[in-house]
Amino acid sequence: MENNSNKSWSFLKDDVIQALAIALVVIFLFSTGHLLGSLMNVKTETEPAGSEVTTTAPTTTAPTTAAPTTTAPTTAAPTDAPSGGDTTAPTQAPTDAPSTGAPQSKAEIIAYFNESADKVKTEATKVVRNYEDLRHNEEKLVVPSALQSIGSNLISSFLKKNETPVEYASNADIVASYPVAGESWSSKLTEADVAEATCTDNGTEYEIMIKLNTTTDPATGTGAAAAFSTIRTEDVMDAAGFVVQSFSAEYYDCVVKCKIDKATGHTTWSNYTLPILLRVEAKLFGTLHAEVGMTFEHDYTITY
């Protein structure tokens, strides 16, 4: 029996063994539910728009003061009046024009985003995950050439688009599922984490886009893990250390987009796109180095 068993294992070629190693790693990652991406929330105010209107009123006061001085010959009076009026008008106009209420600099957008994103977990009454789109980035796949098509098909079989809405209607569910999953907060981003941040005023909403810098194995609350649900290396090693010798995850081109209602300061929609490059050293009757690229996109609608 022992000899037959050893003999049967000898029929396993390296390529097949390596395929099994990839399968085990991929199956583990998906079965644990750690591979989730998500989006954030931002808050805004409409008061700045009111200040724009308020500034127009003072402009009328200047001409009124000048009117009583009907003594046209008096050059000094007209000179003083316009001079006073001109100084006030230009000073207030430029100040009000940029004050749309939207954060302008990268630092302002990040701070505003962090504060508002956290409120999804404290103020939202319902979050609906509209869809999740899990994609295989085949150009990133690194395996032995003989395994290229097998590995690609295997991984793609796990990565699908799911358009069935999922509703989180309790605070516990929202905290557990909305990014960052399992945390009481949604964002701890800093300027060092962000490559680009924009905020656009579309009239009734602010649209925010934040693109992160590349990070590898970020600790909770840093890098991609400051805004996205990420994979923890220790979880992988604890659960699959029998086959995984080393594991790392690189997060690149991660983007959060959201829309915020100006009247309430609440995010009504968000979208998280999380590209990941997994690097795995696995051992199963041989050692395998593999790299697998995936993108996780999650789309949400938030109600308060």
Side-chain angles (χ1 to χ4, degrees):
M1 291 291 291
E2 208 169 295
N3 289 334
N4 288 338
S5 177
N6 290 336
K7 189 175 180 181
S8 66
W9 279 116
S10 69
F11 286 109
L12 290 175
K13 294 182 178 180
D14 288 344
D15 288 349
V16 176
I17 290 169
Q18 291 173 338
L20 289 174
I22 293 177
L24 285 173
V25 171
V26 173
I27 289 170
F28 164 75
L29 291 174
F30 282 89
S31 64
T32 56
H34 288 299
L35 301 183
L36 299 173
S38 122
L39 169 80
M40 301 209 140
N41 191 14
V42 185
K43 175 188 174 181
T44 288
E45 298 177 6
T46 41
E47 293 175 8
S51 35
E52 269 182 273
V53 181
T54 309
T55 352
T56 315
T59 311
T60 341
T61 311
T64 308
T65 313
T69 315
T70 37
T71 316
T74 311
T75 318
T79 306
D80 293 341
S83 171
D86 287 344
T87 309
T88 308
T91 305
Q92 293 178 344
T95 303
D96 293 333
S99 291
T100 60
Q104 302 296 314
S105 68
K106 182 198 284 189
E108 290 172 339
I109 295 171
I110 294 169
Y112 181 69
F113 176 77
N114 287 349
E115 179 186 357
S116 303
D118 288 348
K119 292 185 178 179
V120 173
K121 297 206 175 185
T122 58
E123 297 182 9
T125 55
K126 183 172 71 173
V127 171
V128 176
R129 191 201 71 194
N130 302 311
Y131 68 82
E132 66 173 358
D133 190 3
L134 314 182
R135 304 185 289 272
H136 178 205
N137 303 330
E138 297 183 31
E139 73 282 1
K140 299 284 188 180
L141 183 63
V142 175
V143 289
S145 56
L147 276 179
Q148 197 74 28
S149 61
I150 298 173
S152 182
N153 291 334
L154 172 67
I155 295 163
S156 295
S157 69
F158 288 97
L159 300 170
K160 309 268 185 194
K161 184 171 185 178
N162 183 354
E163 296 186 279
T164 303
V166 176
E167 183 177 299
Y168 309 117
S170 72
N171 179 257
D173 286 345
I174 293 171
V175 169
S177 305
Y178 193 79
V180 173
E183 300 292 346
S184 59
W185 47 271
S186 286
S187 180
K188 291 182 180 290
L189 288 174
T190 66
E191 283 189 79
D193 302 319
V194 177
E196 182 184 352
T198 62
C199 180
T200 305
D201 186 341
N202 70 10
T204 60
E205 298 173 313
Y206 290 122
E207 296 184 15
I208 284 182
M209 185 284 296
I210 295 179
K211 182 177 180 180
L212 305 191
N213 290 316
T214 299
T215 52
T216 301
D217 299 331
T220 301
T222 68
F228 287 81
S229 302
T230 57
I231 310 166
R232 297 197 311 169
T233 300
E234 55 267 34
D235 289 342
V236 176
M237 298 307 295
D238 287 347
F242 66 96
V243 64
V244 177
Q245 292 184 310
S246 68
F247 173 89
S248 70
E250 177 183 296
Y251 304 91
Y252 63 97
D253 294 340
C254 303
V255 174
V256 177
K257 296 178 183 177
C258 58
K259 293 180 181 179
I260 306 97
D261 178 58
K262 293 170 66 173
T264 62
H266 285 148
T267 294
T268 56
W269 168 85
S270 64
N271 181 284
Y272 284 74
T273 301
L274 180 71
I276 314 171
L277 179 59
L278 303 180
R279 295 186 176 92
V280 182
E281 291 287 344
K283 186 172 184 179
L284 184 65
F285 309 107
T287 301
L288 162 74
H289 171 79
E291 295 186 9
V292 180
M294 300 176 287
T295 294
F296 289 69
E297 180 184 351
H298 291 77
D299 194 89
Y300 300 92
T301 300
I302 302 107
T303 306
Y304 300 84

